[in-house]
Amino acid sequence: AQRLFDEGMKLYKQGTAESLRSYIETLKKALRLYQNIGDKKSQAVILNNIGRVYDSLGDKQQALKFYNQSLPLTIEVGNKSGQATTLNNIGLVYNSLGDKQQALKFYNQSLPLTIEV
């Protein structure tokens, strides 16, 4: 799983639309392995990363789907930094979709966690 994650980072750094799509597929393979061993912290990180890439590719609904899968895992494992990041990322998507009230809701959840960590 870690090897796949590392390989994926190389694809991410290339920054092309094609390499980003390959990055998503590589992360999905790593995610399945982390799910098999029950590593929820790594699952949350990968889900958040997949969401970030979908967001950068302009697929906001897919981004939200993956962020919303990441969030409960970050809460479950007590990763407040990851939780703050994911909440902020959700806010960013809503902001880019023009839903300022929804964005503010998530930013307001992220802020105290960010301050805490």
Side-chain angles (χ1 to χ4, degrees):
Q2 185 62 49
R3 183 182 55 76
L4 285 168
F5 184 82
D6 293 342
E7 285 176 21
M9 287 309 295
K10 292 175 188 172
L11 291 165
Y12 178 75
K13 289 177 182 177
Q14 290 177 22
T16 67
E18 183 180 327
S19 69
L20 292 176
R21 286 185 183 86
S22 294
Y23 174 58
I24 289 170
E25 293 310 311
T26 301
L27 285 184
K28 286 179 179 179
K29 291 175 188 173
L31 176 62
R32 285 189 290 278
L33 294 172
Y34 282 124
Q35 288 169 332
N36 288 342
I37 62 171
D39 184 341
K40 292 181 180 183
K41 185 173 182 177
S42 294
Q43 290 173 52
V45 168
I46 287 177
L47 289 163
N48 187 69
N49 288 359
I50 293 171
R52 188 177 66 227
V53 174
Y54 275 120
D55 187 18
S56 71
L57 290 171
D59 192 339
K60 306 301 183 185
Q61 294 308 315
Q62 278 295 95
L64 285 174
K65 174 184 165 187
F66 283 92
Y67 289 147
N68 284 316
Q69 290 177 61
S70 175
L71 186 59
L73 291 172
T74 61
I75 294 167
E76 184 178 339
V77 300
N79 181 354
K80 290 185 179 183
S81 176
Q83 183 181 350
T85 297
T86 302
L87 287 164
N88 190 70
N89 289 345
I90 293 170
L92 289 168
V93 171
Y94 280 116
N95 187 52
S96 69
L97 290 171
D99 191 340
K100 306 299 184 190
Q101 286 302 112
Q102 229 8 38
L104 188 59
K105 174 183 154 187
F106 285 94
Y107 292 149
N108 284 333
Q109 291 177 60
S110 175
L111 183 59
L113 290 167
T114 302
I115 293 168
E116 184 180 334
V117 297

